[in-house]
Amino acid sequence: MKLHKDMNNLEIAELLRSVAAAYQLKDANKYKFQIIAYERAADAIEHATSELKDLWDDGKLEDVSGIGKSLSEHLDELFRTGKSKHFEEVMKGLPPTMFELMKVPGIGAKTAYKLSSELGIRSLDELEKMAKKGKISKIEGFGEQSQSDILKAIQETKGKTRRHLLPYATAIANEIINWMQEERSVKRADPLGSLRRQAATVGDIDIAVASDEPQEVLEHFTKYPKAQRVLEKGDHTASIIVPGDVQVDLMVQPSNSYGSLLQHFTGSKHHNIALREYALKKGLSLSEYGIRKIHDSRSKIQEFNTEEKFYNHLGLEWIPPELREDSGEIEAALKSSKAFQGLPHLVELKDIKADLQIHSDFDIETSHDIGESSMEDVIRKAGELGYEYLAFTEHNPSKSKHSEEQIVEILKRKREKIEQINYSLKDMNNLSVQTVFNSLEIDMLPEGGLPVSEAGLETLDFALLTIHSSFNLSRDAMTKRVLSALYHPKVKIFAHPTARKLNEREGVELDWPKIFDFCKSNNKWIEINAEPGRLDLPDTLVKEAVKEGVKLTLGTDAHHKDGMNNMIFGVSVARRGWAEKDDIINSLTLEEFKKMLE
């Protein structure tokens, strides 16, 4: 990898993983702690909400989890000079191609080094060609099966251009779980890994099954009607490929140790490492089968049929899956601590009493897509969901296509429509919805102004502020822009605030401490957008906002009434950010919400 001064977060994360791999080749036991430290830092940097270079500019490198004094010094040298003597020394003499090969599942550092050295290849494409020519099987320690596995993994890797959005992965997993539950020997089935933790994007899908008859379960699994091919089938595990080139892995375990299996394969790598280190201090060893005493040769593995019993045996509260990221959850769950505060009582879907970003088919003549469902249909859907109130937040009318007077007239027409609907709500049978608010999603101008006049803003109950243009401003300029636009009293919600689009566009750079401070001081709220392609505010920033006492809202950004079902994914983001019911504005009753607006 070529180092340079302006490396972005993904490049730096890749660099640190390469350094960890180099340490592993040198001596995995001797450099055990360095390997763990670099991998942990790489994960933290890859998911950081600010570019590391910007944090370095502000002298805040060590604010990122996993970056200590030593690594901070190496990164400082990198950003100053475009080089790092330490990184270069660690990776000295290793073929650069090996780090590319390690992106292929099943190829670790040692295998990648051997393939690169023995074959002298310079790219993944060359490795594929060598495999097709039978060159890999002739290397000592390899064979026909290894060569076949590597070729298959290369082809599958090349076909995987992106991770799957959470709702897409959820739908696939739910359909397979429903299929598995048709088998009489299946007692329970659950998703595992990042899907169970409700991460914004998911790679392969892992599913666990509780059963005392594994062969019957695996036979049923491999006959899943949508399975395009079976990758492998063993005694307790199997893997298939389903449409979309999605790999689904299933593992079976008896009910009496099923809780241990769930725990072992749900948490992130770093959560599991931290939990193992905690258990070791208590003389205990953890596995997917249960917990065993280390220093008692006669001790048997203690099995657990539930995760609650597993965590309780360690002296911990049960930790919700969404929190298992090694971000303080183990310390919070530690019952024996004198400073025990307990884990947060995470917000639940049933707590949500409104959707605060919805687009109807009201023709507001905007430059954006308008909604597909009528206001009346949206309100009926809100009633089905048990909401007390909701807000219609169509995009602001296009400034380039209308005069100020025309924009005001359009907004007055919308206000009249909302007033008529509120008047007629009592006649819409069996509805929980009591009030509809007249809102607007306003695109801030590049300099921080609003494209709607004072007269137009006065027609609204409140407004949402969004970024839909000029994404590449510097962090300082973008922050100034946002704060200027947020200042207007009618603007209450900063919606999908990083403007990211998952798998498509990185979020904008903002000085979040300044944003949080302004919102808290001026009674402004920040949205968690539940639209599957956004899930924005990201969970890491949700946690920071909660810590700073900033209030959050949830909105589906639905452009069709069925999109309102996505609220569950916004709740998942809130939960991953440690948010409780009291942190979410639209968990308030209608009367409480009205008071907050005042």
Side-chain angles (χ1 to χ4, degrees), residues 139-179:
I139 301 174
E140 185 181 352
F142 290 82
E144 293 291 340
Q145 187 60 51
S146 296
Q147 180 173 269
S148 175
D149 291 344
I150 288 172
L151 182 59
K152 188 182 294 184
I154 292 171
Q155 291 168 343
E156 288 174 0
T157 298
K158 291 173 76 173
K160 292 180 181 178
T161 57
R162 57 176 63 186
R163 288 170 63 84
H164 312 297
L165 298 183
L166 175 60
Y168 176 67
T170 300
I172 293 172
N174 287 345
E175 191 171 324
I176 293 174
I177 286 172
N178 290 337
W179 164 257

Side-chain angles (χ1 to χ4, degrees), residues 123-151:
S123 69
L124 199 57
D125 288 337
E126 285 190 21
L127 180 64
E128 184 177 15
K129 290 176 183 176
M130 293 290 187
K132 289 178 177 178
K133 291 178 179 178
K135 300 285 187 181
I136 294 176
S137 62
K138 295 181 172 60
I139 301 174
E140 185 181 352
F142 290 82
E144 293 291 340
Q145 187 60 51
S146 296
Q147 180 173 269
S148 175
D149 291 344
I150 288 172
L151 182 59

Side-chain angles (χ1 to χ4, degrees), residues 444-456:
M444 69 178 78
L445 299 174
E447 73 279 2
L450 301 177
V452 180
S453 67
E454 287 295 326

Side-chain angles (χ1 to χ4, degrees), residues 406-421:
Q406 288 173 324
I407 290 174
V408 172
E409 284 305 311
I410 292 170
L411 295 179
K412 282 182 177 179
R413 279 197 294 109
K414 187 192 170 199
R415 180 180 63 185
E416 290 169 4
K417 172 77 171 175
I418 297 287
E419 288 173 348
Q420 291 169 4
I421 284 176

